[in-house]
Amino acid sequence: MGGPDEHYTMASTAGALVNWLDQLIISSCSLVGYSMGGRLALYLALEFAERFPKVVLESASPGLKTEQEQQERLRHDRALADRLETDFPTFLAHWYSQPLFQSLQKNAAFDQIVNQRSQNNPCNLAKSLRYLSTGLQPSLWSRLAEHTNPLLLLVGEHDRKFLGINQEMVSSCPAARLEVIPECGHAVHLECPKAFVASIRNFLQ
């Protein structure tokens, strides 16, 4: 048996969400997930297909394909988690300086967004980074072809990394549809909220 922090793993988090829906007597619902939450949403869609008939993945991926990639990413994320716990402000500055967020940095609300993130609990964020690391999650690439429920993939046109990943995802999953949102990067919901909402509304109707 693992310690309580292992409740943060993908399988445990997914199970807790399904149990919560059971307590609310919600047998099925649509699901929207962003980035790490998008990886979790895809896992839920594949493991509990009857519970989530329509799923939206924003800037997400099915994980890494090889064990070597997973081990390298796990080491990277554990080092990031250590930095997050010891110097949260420096971590945030480094995090949002990544190419993924280059277009977000130009957003008028960028300083406000970073300030809001600084109010989070760094210890809990570090646990999520350690236990929900892409290096720890099972690769879901081989399972995409079996998925038959509608799946909407949203990605910003400037997010080259995830644009490539999502193009490969849609070619592997007949039920998936890719929508590229212009003039934004990784954080579509923050950079182009109107287009983001319109895409989801159209998909769920």
Side-chain angles (χ1 to χ4, degrees), residues 109-151:
F110 177 70
D111 290 341
Q112 181 182 353
I113 291 167
V114 175
N115 182 61
Q116 288 175 338
R117 298 296 182 272
S118 70
Q119 307 306 310
N120 289 324
N121 184 314
C123 291
N124 288 337
L125 290 178
K127 289 177 184 178
S128 293
L129 190 53
R130 288 191 182 100
Y131 290 96
L132 270 172
S133 166
T134 317
L136 276 181
Q137 82 161 73
S139 176
L140 303 175
W141 281 101
S142 63
R143 300 183 60 186
L144 289 174
E146 73 187 45
H147 189 66
T148 57
N149 288 341
L151 193 64

Side-chain angles (χ1 to χ4, degrees), residues 68-84:
Q68 180 180 349
E69 289 176 309
Q70 291 171 341
Q71 289 301 317
E72 289 175 357
R73 181 57 181 266
L74 183 57
R75 286 192 293 270
H76 174 267
D77 284 353
R78 284 175 172 169
L80 276 182
D82 290 342
R83 185 187 306 174
L84 195 161

